[in-house]
Amino acid sequence: DTEVTQTPKHLVMGMTNKKSLKCEQHMGHRAMYWYKQKAKKPPELMFVYSYEKLSINESVPSRFSPECPNSSLLNLHLHALQPEDSALYLCASSQEPGQISNQPQHFGDGTRLSIL
Amino acid sequence: TQLLEQSPQFLSIQEGENLTVYCNSSSVFSSLQWYRQEPGEGPVLLVTVVTGGEVKKLKRLTFQFGDARKDSSLHITAAQPGDTGLYLCAGDRGSNYKLTFGKGTLLTVNP
């Protein structure tokens, strides 16, 4: 069982809907990540939060809006998405925003998002 | 340009066979991680290699980091159907956050 919990597991939404993806970890990790993964492809980094502050935005369209309400929670707010945004959205966390070799990223099982 | 070249992209073998997956780059990495991802799940970290020439074993899986820290390999001995999944290598170039992923190897082990 993964220690990073993502909800919902599946989400179907229309292009005009507003929805949110949620991620939770209770490992005391201070860095949290959002990735997008298309089928049989590697994950692509979207956002990084370090100590609840946005550290990296990989030029993600504004229809994706991240939020980190506290050190355990990470949200991804979705609005006016396009069909090409259909993908698996993965959340990950690591202990400290330090050297990756000492601070491996732990992934959740993702939210499978389908845009109609 | 793909920073981490992973090969093969697809591999279908019979139970009991051995296999090797390669991850190559012209760049030096501070560390390299191997993940396995099963359908409907997130990637699960298998190992992190840090030192050039390092070899790590995890049951039937052997991971090697190249001397120059530019390449890595994953060798599976006597593959089992439970080894089926997407194997991802991911390198860290010392940026604190960013992992550079290879394109992945989709392994199918047939009973």
Side-chain angles (χ1 to χ4, degrees), chain B residues 20-34:
Chain B
T20 303
V21 178
Y22 298 94
C23 194
N24 297 305
S25 176
S26 56
S27 301
V28 175
F29 289 94
S30 300
S31 69
L32 206 137
Q33 286 80 41
W34 285 92

Side-chain angles (χ1 to χ4, degrees), chain B residues 66-82:
Chain B
D67 291 341
R69 291 187 286 127
K70 293 182 179 180
D71 54 85
S72 182
S73 63
L74 156 60
H75 182 77
I76 302 179
T77 304
Q80 305 291 312

Side-chain angles (χ1 to χ4, degrees), chain B:
Chain B
T1 303
Q2 180 69 20
L3 198 57
L4 262 178
E5 296 289 342
Q6 193 172 338
S7 63
Q9 205 171 339
F10 301 96
L11 191 54
S12 180
I13 61 172
Q14 293 301 119
E15 183 175 0
E17 291 183 10
N18 301 335
L19 66 114
T20 303
V21 178
Y22 298 94
C23 194
N24 297 305
S25 176
S26 56
S27 301
V28 175
F29 289 94
S30 300
S31 69
L32 206 137
Q33 286 80 41
W34 285 92
Y35 290 86
R36 179 171 68 215
Q37 185 175 19
E38 299 186 27
E41 298 182 7
V44 174
L45 180 69
L46 297 173
V47 80
T48 300
V49 285
V50 180
T51 306
E54 183 176 7
V55 176
K56 283 191 173 179
K57 289 184 186 290
L58 186 67
K59 297 183 182 176
R60 292 177 292 100
L61 279 59
T62 302
F63 304 86
Q64 186 160 7
F65 202 14
D67 291 341
R69 291 187 286 127
K70 293 182 179 180
D71 54 85
S72 182
S73 63
L74 156 60
H75 182 77
I76 302 179
T77 304
Q80 305 291 312
D83 295 327
T84 293
L86 179 68
Y87 287 81
L88 295 159
C89 64
D92 148 42
R93 299 184 70 195
S95 68
N96 284 354
Y97 306 105
K98 221 170 156 177
L99 283 176
T100 300
F101 281 90
K103 286 190 173 181
T105 295
L106 191 58
L107 172 66
T108 303
V109 182
N110 302 298

Side-chain angles (χ1 to χ4, degrees), chain A:
Chain A
D1 285 337
T2 181
E3 295 178 80
V4 177
T5 304
Q6 289 189 243
T7 55
K9 286 190 75 68
H10 302 274
L11 180 62
V12 180
M13 56 187 286
M15 289 191 283
T16 58
N17 292 158
K18 284 186 181 181
K19 296 284 185 184
S20 297
L21 309 185
K22 295 187 184 303
C23 174
E24 192 167 359
Q25 57 86 15
H26 294 289
M27 296 180 281
H29 288 180
R30 304 312 300 269
M32 296 185 77
Y33 312 77
W34 279 116
Y35 287 86
K36 173 183 177 181
Q37 186 179 28
K38 291 284 206 181
K40 297 176 185 173
K41 301 289 185 187
E44 299 171 18
L45 184 66
M46 299 174 71
F47 302 104
V48 180
Y49 272 83
S50 170
Y51 291 96
E52 298 143 58
K53 288 186 168 39
L54 184 64
S55 298
I56 294 178
N57 176 341
E58 289 286 298
S59 303
V60 179
S62 60
R63 57 185 184 268
F64 295 91
S65 175
E67 179 198 18
C68 190
N70 60 57
S71 59
S72 300
L73 293 174
L74 186 66
N75 298 322
L76 186 63
H77 303 297
L78 314 172
H79 175 54
L81 294 196
Q82 304 296 310
E84 61 265 27
D85 296 323
S86 297
L88 181 68
Y89 287 84
L90 292 162
C91 174
S93 70
S94 62
Q95 191 168 355
E96 291 279 343
Q99 279 215 320
I100 292 179
S101 56
N102 297 326
Q103 315 289 349
Q105 294 182 21
H106 298 260
F107 286 83
D109 284 339
T111 293
R112 175 78 56 194
L113 177 66
S114 298
I115 307 300
L116 302 179

